[in-house]
Each structure stands twice: as structure tokens, then as C-alpha cells.
Amino acid sequence: MTKRTLKRRATALGSAGALVTATLIAGAFAAPSASASPTTARHGQDREALGATIAAARAAKAGIDWQDCPADWGLEKPIQCGWVTVPLDYAKPNGKQIKLAVDRIGNTGTKAERQGALIYNPGGPGGSGLRFPRRVTTKAPVWANTAKAYDFVGFDPRGVGKSAPISCADPQEYVKAPKMDPVPDSEADKRAQRKLAREYAEGCYERSGEMLPHMTTPNTARDLDVIRAALGEKKLNYLGVSYGTYLGAVYGTLFPGHVRRMVVDSVVDPSRDKIWYEANLDQDIAFEGRWKDWQDWVARNDATFHLGDTRAEVQAKWLELRATAKKNPIGGVVGPAELISFFQSAPYYDSSWVPVATVFSKYVAGDTQALVDAAAPDMSDTAGNASSENGNAVYTAVECTDAKWPTSWRKWDRDNTRLHQDYPFMTWANAWMNLPCATWPVKQQTPLNVRTGKGLPGVLIVQSERDAATPYGGAVELHKRFKGSRLITEKDAGSHGVTSLANPCVNDRVDAYLLTGKLDGADVTCAPHATPKP
């Protein structure tokens, strides 16, 4: 579940007559049926299933009015943009509607080579997928073969960016620095953080209360099916990364017969007992492991970074930096919270190993400005700050509404105090980020029982062994639940988001699956991609 921690969280269904009419319309346009599977019915979601069928039928009829993208969206030609209308509440498909922003770029191959649209979700919850078509305009080599066959389609999920965006706080206040040190020194510190979390939850309700009950992964999966229908696609081709894997898992459970090809990369554990409280505790453990991997790499490259030639020496410099920033925030704005927000990108992505180590090295050599530039918020960037606030609002809204969270502070305190002893890098920062869920002001749902349904084809699962944000066990769990799926493991690697890295063992199999539907006869273990070089 990709996170930028501490930086970036109606009318009735209608009369019986109206229902009959809507059902007939759905039949007339031959939209694939979102009929309620036993799982759906067990969760009392048959009304939403009917609403999704009605909405998909409308979208199939309306299509998408593709235009050049607005100049301020930063999407160059020939990318085109449009809108898809969906119900806010699928149990009330004739009630309030919201518009979702979508974009696309056509396949680069011939008409005969085209296999439809490939829809992408980058994670979050709260991430925008609108930049996905830029993988074609920027000629990303890893995606060149797939781009010949598919239109690349991105979208902003409900609540995100251009799609009925939600908010929980004033963006300029939200990014203001320095924030309180996430690691508490006292009970008073914990009380202060609890107050901030409660106020944040209240702010979500005050600013976005109408949207909150409907900010769930199942609703975003229904939106995905409406987008599929609006594109004129009978079945969905889907690429989901990070939280996008959970979105894919829920879609595959609700609409198994609507899936053509599905690639999920860096997998959220979909079991009900993990969504979402336990998943975040698992994350804390995995982040500590990957943080140590990065420190080992920094130590091996001491000739470049001069931060120590052992992990212990690098850690000592980190703790010294943290203590300095706690006592006197660097540049007046970079305290421990800002440090974690910046440094956590190293255990997230290998691509951040060199930049983060370089900034750290410069600071130790006496250049504090490099750290301020990298870690402090830019208060003049109002658009960027609004985007950060929106992303965190959606993250919080979806995770808090998707599932029931513990309401007992004693449980939160006990679990995070215990974890912090052995896994201090992210534990308390993660706890405070999620604590609004303990006092969430709208009804929390029961997560879907993710499972194989009738018609679900083989799904391709890709996972690095030491991923911090979505630990490896999540991929194993989804593999068990989706019968006929195949798991590609990138061994001795830990970057989050594997499919866009250069690793032919992975890339060739993703291409083969998307282009031909071919899966290996058994699961595959790949050697790691190249380690970053200073």
C-alpha cells in the first residue's frame, strides 16, 4: 500500500418499476452481468451488484468523449482525456453521481496487433493513474512490447485528484513543518498524537462527509468495471501495483468473469484478518529489514558516501542526525518526522538508494541545505501540497472505511510499543498515520472474502522477496486464493513495484502473459535486478 507517510490520507434505488426498466436496459446493451456470486450475496452486496450492472450499462451506451487533455494536467499529446460517470453509492444507482477522470493513449502497433485497453492503478490508496499513458510518450523500454498491443488507460480513482477529490485538512496546514516527533517520549506525547489523529478524522467528516461512507475498495472495483464498459471492452486487462493489487483482488472476486488478463505487482495480503490493521503492523517489520539492506549497501559503498563501513556505523549516524533534528530542526523545518518521510523512500525503492545516501552524505560533510531542500515541504507549491493532502485523505478514508479497526487505545499502544523495540524505523510513524481509523466517524465495512470465482482466468503475481511496503507473504496468500495463478518471485530483492524495473526474467514473462495469455507451468524464481551503483 504505497504511502507517503507524514507527507501525503441521496436518493433511493427506485421503485420496482424503475428497477425492471434499468435491468432491461442492462440487457439491451449486453453489458457483462455483474451478477452476485455466493461471496457477493453472503456480504449483502447484491444491491451494489445490481447497481454496478446498471451503471456499466449506462457507461457502455454513453462511451467516453475523448478530448485533448487540459493544459494544466501535464499530459502531452497524443494522450487524450475524458470522464466516466459512476454512482456515489452503488446501492442507489439513480442517486448522486460523480465523475471519474480517465486518460488513454492508443496502441503503438497495427490495428491487427491491438488487444484492447490495459487499465492501471499505481496504488495508495490515493495514487493517481493518469500518468500511465506517459510510459508510451516517454518511451519506457520495459513497456514497449505491451504498448504495441494495448491502449494504455489511466484513471483517478474516486476521491483522488480530478475525480471528486476529498480532503481532510487545509493543505497548507497539513504540510507545515516541523511536525511532532513520531517516537513518543512520554504519555503526554501519546495524548497529543491521539488528539491530532482524532481531529484529523473529524476533519475528514467535516470536509468530505458525504463521500466517506462510499470510499471503499469494493466501490472502486465497481468503478473499474464501469470504466471497462465505457471503454467498450467486454473484459478487463488490468495492471495493479501495491494497493492496486488489492483493488485487483477485489475486482477479480466481484467480477471474475469480466477478467481477461490481470497482473498484480507487490501484493497486499488480501486475507480479512490483515486488512488493514495487521497489514500495517507487518509493514513495520518489513521496513526495518529493508532499511538494514540499504544501510548494508551504504556501508559497502563507504568510499563514495563516507557514512561508515558497517551497518552499525551508518545506523549510528542516522540516530545522531535524528537526535540533532529533534533538538533543533534542521533549517528550522526538518525534524524527525520530516526525516522519516524522506528517508523511507530508500527502503521503498531501490531507485532512491543513491539519492537518499547522497543527501545524507552531504549533510554529514557539512551541507545542511541539501537535506532541507530534499526533506522540507515547499510551502509555495500550493498545487503539490493540495495533492499531498488529497493523497493522504484518500489513503485514510479507504483504509478506515474498508474494515473495522481496533478502537481500544490500549491495544494500539501495546502493539506498537512492542514492535518499536525491535523495529523502530517506521513503527510509530505508521501508527499515528493510521490512528484516525480508531475514531472513524462513518460505519466501517467487513472486507470481502477474496477468492476464485467462476470464469477467473490465471492471474500473474509478481513480488520481490524483501519488499517493505507489501511483505512477501501477501503474494503467497493471494496465490493461494486465486486458483491457477502463477507467482514470479524476485529473489534477494526488495524494491516495491517490480514490473517497471529492468529484469528480463520478469519483463519477458509479463510481456508473454499480456501478449499471449501464456503462464509458466509452475511458479518462477528470478535472480534480482541490478543493484544500484553510486
Side-chain angles (χ1 to χ4, degrees):
M1 60 222 84
T2 310
K3 297 183 293 194
R4 301 290 185 268
T5 307
L6 303 169
K7 204 170 188 181
R8 0 187 211 220
R9 245 187 105 44
T11 58
L13 185 58
S15 66
L19 277 176
V20 170
T21 305
T23 307
L24 288 173
I25 288 171
F29 293 114
S33 168
S35 57
S37 67
T39 302
T40 310
R42 271 202 304 276
H43 288 273
Q45 291 174 329
D46 35 354
R47 286 174 70 204
E48 285 94 343
L50 176 59
T53 302
I54 292 168
R58 285 181 187 149
K61 183 182 181 186
I64 301 172
D65 179 18
W66 294 110
Q67 305 281 344
D68 288 343
C69 298
D72 62 349
W73 288 22
L75 299 166
E76 64 274 15
K77 293 180 184 180
I79 299 171
Q80 294 179 302
C81 291
W83 302 93
V84 174
T85 301
V86 299
L88 175 62
D89 180 356
Y90 277 93
K92 300 175 182 176
N94 300 319
K96 181 179 173 65
Q97 308 289 306
I98 58 176
K99 289 184 179 298
L100 306 180
V102 295
D103 66 345
R104 72 164 183 189
I105 192 166
N107 72 303
T108 60
T110 64
K111 193 173 180 180
E113 287 176 294
R114 185 178 180 274
Q115 296 192 39
L118 177 64
I119 307 180
Y120 172 72
N121 180 271
S128 167
L130 291 178
R131 296 184 72 78
F132 182 53
R134 297 198 74 244
R135 295 189 183 179
V136 179
T137 59
T138 58
K139 295 182 167 54
V142 165
W143 293 102
N145 291 329
T146 301
K148 289 179 183 174
Y150 291 95
D151 305 345
F152 278 19
V153 175
F155 72 106
D156 274 353
R158 59 173 52 208
V160 175
K162 317 295 182 190
S163 297
I166 67 166
S167 171
C168 293
D170 175 80
Q172 293 299 98
E173 287 299 313
Y174 171 74
V175 301
K176 193 176 285 184
K179 288 180 168 55
M180 189 174 173
D181 184 354
V183 179
D185 289 330
S186 63
E187 289 302 313
D189 285 352
K190 293 176 182 178
R191 284 194 297 272
Q193 292 280 17
R194 290 170 66 190
K195 179 172 182 282
L196 289 173
R198 187 171 61 251
E199 289 171 350
Y200 186 80
E202 290 165 357
C204 292
Y205 191 72
E206 287 166 11
R207 296 169 79 98
S208 307
E210 183 183 30
M211 292 278 289
L212 290 194
H214 312 293
M215 290 293 298
T216 66
T217 303
N219 276 338
T220 304
R222 295 177 186 111
D223 294 344
L224 190 55
D225 200 59
V226 176
I227 293 170
R228 172 203 57 74
L231 290 164
E233 300 285 327
K234 285 194 163 50
K235 296 202 173 188
L236 178 78
N237 303 295
Y238 177 74
L239 170 64
V241 181
S242 192
Y243 164 77
T245 67
Y246 184 57
L247 175 59
V250 170
Y251 183 92
T253 301
L254 290 175
F255 304 98
H258 294 193
V259 178
R260 179 177 180 265
R261 310 257 163 87
M262 180 179 285
V263 179
V264 286
D265 170 5
S266 304
V267 181
V268 171
D269 190 323
S271 57
R272 284 167 156 184
D273 58 354
K274 294 291 186 183
I275 302 295
W276 283 104
Y277 179 76
E278 292 289 338
N280 279 281
L281 298 182
D282 290 347
Q283 224 182 24
D284 300 335
I285 297 168
F287 259 104
E288 195 72 31
R290 195 60 180 160
W291 173 245
K292 289 175 178 175
D293 290 349
W294 176 72
Q295 290 180 321
D296 287 338
W297 173 86
V298 171
R300 286 196 301 272
N301 290 283
D302 185 52
T304 301
F305 300 119
H306 312 295
L307 293 167
D309 59 11
T310 66
R311 181 202 300 166
E313 288 178 4
V314 178
Q315 175 71 359
K317 284 203 167 53
W318 158 250
L319 293 175
E320 185 182 340
L321 168 60
R322 211 187 167 290
T324 299
K326 183 178 176 71
K327 189 175 179 182
N328 289 301
I330 296 155
V333 286
V334 177
E338 290 71 32
L339 287 177
I340 290 175
S341 190
F342 171 63
F343 275 83
Q344 70 160 350
S345 64
Y348 246 118
Y349 308 109
D350 291 6
S351 59
S352 293
W353 280 18
V354 173
V356 172
T358 300
V359 168
F360 193 8
S361 177
K362 285 181 177 179
Y363 169 80
V364 169
D367 179 1
T368 58
Q369 192 58 43
L371 182 59
V372 173
D373 291 345
D378 178 0
M379 298 305 290
S380 68
D381 182 11
T382 52
N385 294 338
S387 177
S388 293
E389 191 279 323
N390 168 246
N392 198 77
V394 175
Y395 166 84
T396 308
V398 172
E399 293 211 1
C400 294
T401 310
D402 256 359
K404 293 172 176 62
W405 288 69
T407 56
S408 160
W409 165 246
R410 287 181 66 186
K411 178 170 177 56
W412 286 76
D413 193 20
R414 183 174 64 247
D415 288 347
N416 287 283
T417 298
R418 173 179 53 82
L419 275 179
H420 176 76
Q421 290 175 353
D422 294 321
Y423 312 102
F425 178 67
M426 279 289 294
T427 296
W428 278 114
N430 212 7
W432 304 129
M433 182 172 182
N434 293 299
L435 190 60
C437 298
T439 56
W440 197 236
V442 301
K443 182 182 177 184
Q444 294 175 320
Q445 306 297 314
T446 300
L448 207 63
N449 181 25
V450 167
R451 52 178 283 180
T452 310
K454 185 179 179 183
L456 184 72
V459 169
L460 184 60
I461 302 170
V462 186
Q463 179 79 29
S464 66
E465 190 178 39
R466 296 183 61 75
D467 191 324
T470 52
Y472 185 75
V476 175
E477 183 66 28
L478 182 61
H479 187 26
K480 275 192 238 167
R481 288 167 178 262
F482 273 1
K483 306 290 185 245
S485 62
R486 284 289 174 266
L487 172 59
I488 300 175
T489 300
E490 193 185 25
K491 193 169 175 57
D492 299 325
S495 202
H496 187 61
V498 179
T499 50
S500 283
L501 301 173
N503 186 338
C505 177
V506 175
N507 307 143
D508 293 350
R509 286 177 167 83
V510 171
D511 278 350
Y513 172 71
L514 288 173
L515 296 175
T516 70
K518 175 181 176 289
L519 288 169
D520 284 280
D523 295 338
V524 174
T525 299
C526 292
H529 63 275
T531 303
K533 288 185 169 55

